[in-house]
Amino acid sequence: QVQLVESGGGLVQAGGSLRLSCVASGSIFDIDAMGWYRQAPGKQRELVAIMTKGGSTNYADSVKGRFTISRDNAKNTVYLQMNSLKPEDTSVYYCKADAVVVTMSGYSYREVWGQGTLVTVSS
């Protein structure tokens, strides 16, 4: 079993910064992509930023130049540095990992989600 635990959310004023962290633990053999998604009330979940194990990144247009994703592969941890926050960034932020996990019968590919952390940006 693999778990993702996010931290770092909270309330911040517009223009401020927050840093989210997500740690993966459990029966992990390997992790390819790790990333962040967000979902605002009444809206669909959307990609914010993602990074492969090799370091390739992809960002939503709405966060380019403001958010930076990084990883510590040795610690199975992904970070999201969020600067110049806007009220429209208010969402629940979810961590996701594409992991190869160890099972009773060998290895299995899993998409694992965290429980989410709330980011609220006040105007």
Side-chain angles (χ1 to χ4, degrees), residues 5-119:
V5 178
E6 302 112 329
S7 61
L11 173 63
V12 64
Q13 288 188 332
S17 298
L18 283 174
R19 187 188 193 217
L20 306 183
S21 300
C22 171
V23 181
S25 62
S27 303
I28 301 168
F29 176 76
D30 194 20
I31 298 178
D32 184 12
M34 291 187 80
W36 294 92
Y37 292 71
R38 68 186 180 187
Q39 187 168 19
K43 294 187 176 182
Q44 289 188 330
R45 191 171 296 187
E46 62 177 2
L47 171 71
V48 176
I50 194 165
M51 176 178 272
T52 67
K53 185 178 180 180
S56 298
T57 59
N58 188 34
Y59 291 90
D61 288 342
S62 59
V63 307
K64 285 180 181 176
R66 300 188 297 123
F67 291 11
T68 302
I69 189 170
S70 60
R71 278 177 71 163
D72 185 333
N73 291 330
K75 296 181 179 180
N76 289 332
T77 301
V78 64
Y79 306 95
L80 186 67
Q81 179 66 44
M82 305 185 294
N83 298 328
S84 302
L85 282 160
K86 304 175 181 180
E88 51 263 43
D89 294 318
T90 295
S91 283
V92 177
Y93 285 71
Y94 296 91
C95 177
K96 176 179 173 284
D98 298 337
V100 177
V101 303
V102 180
T103 68
M104 293 291 290
S105 56
Y107 301 98
S108 178
Y109 173 82
R110 301 277 170 83
E111 290 185 351
V112 186
W113 290 89
Q115 291 186 324
T117 184
L118 177 62
V119 172

